[in-house]
């Protein structure tokens, strides 16, 4: 692939002022520095970037020296965070060479981990994520055909798809996420490679998949993501117990709507929904002898959550919130009017109520009157 440098003037308002200042300061200090990745992709497509990543020839120590409010993070891959407020930081990464280069007998030929701009390009995942922007020249630097793929809305791998998925199987779910986000198509070779390699996801630590799962579903197109994951055979490696039903569909659409209108979302809600049918299935299977309703519920939820965390981690706060939502369904369905006001004041009420309403509108239409009771009593 040939190097393309294309003059594209961005509306400077689209670029974060702090990111712009970092690049200027670093360039002035003699370091080759670019904006890179998702932010360039999003600006070129007319979306507002979520964050601005910077790639540079400066080492983490050199970056750290230039910026007073910065800190080096990570041990294996060092990165620098430049802080702008308690919540805002910008990540600056030194150009990185891809994997170790080894000869046929496994000997390490090159283990330097920092690299040149070109090395940095080829370790990235998709062509649309491999674009760099030179602020001084107002030029996009494209080694991988990313500009063309952005134009035709194709998710294409940099390098050989199977190899790159083996190297990092999380790229398979990233492909699905970007397909939905950009309204793009995944290149057919990638689709084949995903279908062939989907089981590699089982190798990924559940903690990393937790982060990825949140990104998969907390966005404006989560229903597209869900269906595509299912179609490609990836869903069973993330949520083996979950199948689409009207409740799952409704909650994914609801989550996206909330995000569109700027409301907060919590992963607890989606996990509770995804595992609701598995929970009820388990409840119908276990022996009921000499057990209270709460004991049964806890036993079934332990089982379902245990199954789930083999694949995707659920931090303790999350699983306990999920259990609360489930346990409260019974209280909401079998209410004692005298105690309603107390229940409403519980910090867990809101989510349990939203859960009940969504159930009543999808798979559990018979609880409609009960959901209405709780709606009216809050008026
Ligand atoms: P968004 O922030 O909208 O989720 P993004 O493209 O910025 O999208 P990030 O996860 O923030 O995604 O990653 C930033 C950049 O780092 C990507 O654009 C890509 O170039 C590179 N990258 C991230 N994850 C991987 C990966 N698993 N393999 C290769 N490159 C990656
Ligand atoms: Mg990003």
């Amino acid at each position: 692939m040939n190097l393309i440098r294309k003059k594209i003037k961005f509306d400077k308002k689209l670029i974060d002022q702090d990111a712009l200042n970092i690049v200027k300061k670093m360039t002035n200090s003699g370091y080759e520095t670019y904006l890179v990745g998702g932010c360039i992709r999003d600006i070129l497509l007319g979306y507002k970037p979520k964050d601005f990543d910077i790639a540079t020839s400066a080492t983490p120590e050199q970056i750290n020296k230039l910026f007073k409010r910065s800190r080096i993070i990570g041990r294996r891959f060092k990165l620098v965070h430049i802080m702008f407020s308690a919540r805002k930081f910008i990540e600056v990464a030194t150009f990185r060479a891809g994997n170790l280069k080894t000869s046929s007998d496994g000997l390490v030929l090159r283990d330097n981990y920092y690299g040149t701009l070109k090395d940095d390009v080829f370790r990235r995942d998709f062509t649309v994520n491999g674009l760099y922007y030179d602020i001084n020249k107002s030029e996009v630097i494209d080694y991988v055909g990313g500009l063309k793929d952005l134009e035709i809305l194709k998710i294409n791998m940099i390098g050989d798809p199977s190899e790159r998925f083996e190297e990092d199987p999380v790229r398979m779910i990233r492909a699905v996420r970007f397909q939905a986000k950009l309204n793009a198509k995944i290149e057919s070779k990638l689709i084949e490679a995903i279908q062939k390699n989907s089981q590699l996801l089982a190798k990924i630590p559940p903690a990393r998949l937790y982060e990825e799962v949140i990104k998969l579903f907390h966005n404006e197109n989560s229903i597209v993501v869900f269906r595509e994951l299912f179609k490609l055979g990836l869903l069973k490696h993330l949520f083996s117990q979950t199948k689409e039903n009207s409740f799952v569909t409704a909650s994914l659409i609801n989550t996206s709507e909330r995000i569109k209108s700027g409301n907060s979302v919590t992963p607890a809600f989606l996990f509770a929904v995804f595992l609701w049918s598995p929970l009820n299935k388990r409840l119908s299977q276990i022996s009921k002898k000499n057990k209270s309703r709460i004991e049964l519920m806890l036993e079934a939820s332990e089982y379902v959550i245990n199954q789930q965390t083999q694949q995707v981690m659920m931090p303790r706060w999350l699983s306990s919130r999920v259990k609360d939502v489930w346990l409260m369904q019974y209280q909401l369905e079998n209410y004692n009017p005298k105690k309603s006001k107390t229940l409403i004041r519980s910090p867990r009420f809101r989510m349990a109520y939203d859960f009940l309403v969504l159930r009543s509108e999808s798979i559990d239409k018979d609880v409609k009157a009960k959901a209405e009771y709780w709606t009216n009593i809050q008026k």
Side-chain angles (χ1 to χ4, degrees), residues 280-291:
N280 286 300
K281 185 174 159 205
R282 188 66 193 166
L283 271 173
S284 71
Q285 289 167 339
I286 54 181
S287 133
K288 316 254 173 339
K289 243 196 188 148
N290 302 329
K291 288 177 202 157

Side-chain angles (χ1 to χ4, degrees), residues 165-220:
F165 285 143
E166 275 167 37
E167 207 175 86
D168 181 7
V170 165
R171 289 172 186 149
M172 298 190 280
I173 50 186
R174 285 175 61 85
V176 174
R177 181 158 69 86
F178 294 127
Q179 167 193 36
K181 169 167 177 164
L182 311 179
N183 199 9
K185 282 222 152 53
I186 302 178
E187 153 70 34
S188 59
K189 273 203 205 114
L190 269 72
I191 296 205
E192 283 167 33
I194 291 175
Q195 285 166 337
K196 210 176 70 196
N197 291 301
S198 63
Q199 83 292 345
L200 292 179
L201 272 186
K203 290 202 315 194
I204 304 296
R208 181 165 179 219
L209 286 181
Y210 171 64
E211 303 289 324
E212 293 297 327
V213 158
I214 291 175
K215 289 198 229 162
L216 280 173
F217 297 117
H218 282 184
N219 60 57
E220 299 184 2

Side-chain angles (χ1 to χ4, degrees), residues 31 58-66 70 72 78 80 94 114:
Y31 301 113
T59 64
E61 290 73 20
Q62 289 169 328
I63 305 164
N64 187 223
K65 228 179 243 163
L66 269 182
S70 70
I72 298 179
K78 282 192 207 159
V80 181
T94 306
Y114 298 127

Side-chain angles (χ1 to χ4, degrees), residues 37-38 41-42 50-51 53 123-125 129 168 171 174 177-178 181 208 215:
R41 175 198 71 212
D42 289 349
K50 226 171 42 192
D51 46 30
D53 291 315
R123 68 149 183 106
R124 291 181 186 271
D125 48 6
N129 286 346
D168 181 7
R171 289 172 186 149
R174 285 175 61 85
R177 181 158 69 86
F178 294 127
K181 169 167 177 164
R208 181 165 179 219
K215 289 198 229 162

Side-chain angles (χ1 to χ4, degrees), residues 46 54 81 102 166 190 253 326 366:
I54 294 172
H81 282 177
T102 51
E166 275 167 37
L190 269 72
I253 291 172
W326 290 342
D366 53 317

Side-chain angles (χ1 to χ4, degrees), residues 123-174:
R123 68 149 183 106
R124 291 181 186 271
D125 48 6
F126 307 110
T127 58
V128 292
N129 286 346
L131 297 171
Y132 294 68
Y133 192 67
D134 180 334
I135 285 176
N136 290 322
K137 296 190 185 143
S138 301
E139 274 179 354
V140 173
I141 301 170
D142 179 9
Y143 275 95
V144 292
L147 280 169
K148 189 192 105 241
D149 287 336
L150 270 186
E151 223 164 274
I152 59 174
L153 293 176
K154 262 270 144 74
I155 306 299
N156 224 327
M157 188 66 93
I158 298 176
D160 177 71
S162 272
E163 267 172 40
R164 301 299 313 278
F165 285 143
E166 275 167 37
E167 207 175 86
D168 181 7
V170 165
R171 289 172 186 149
M172 298 190 280
I173 50 186
R174 285 175 61 85

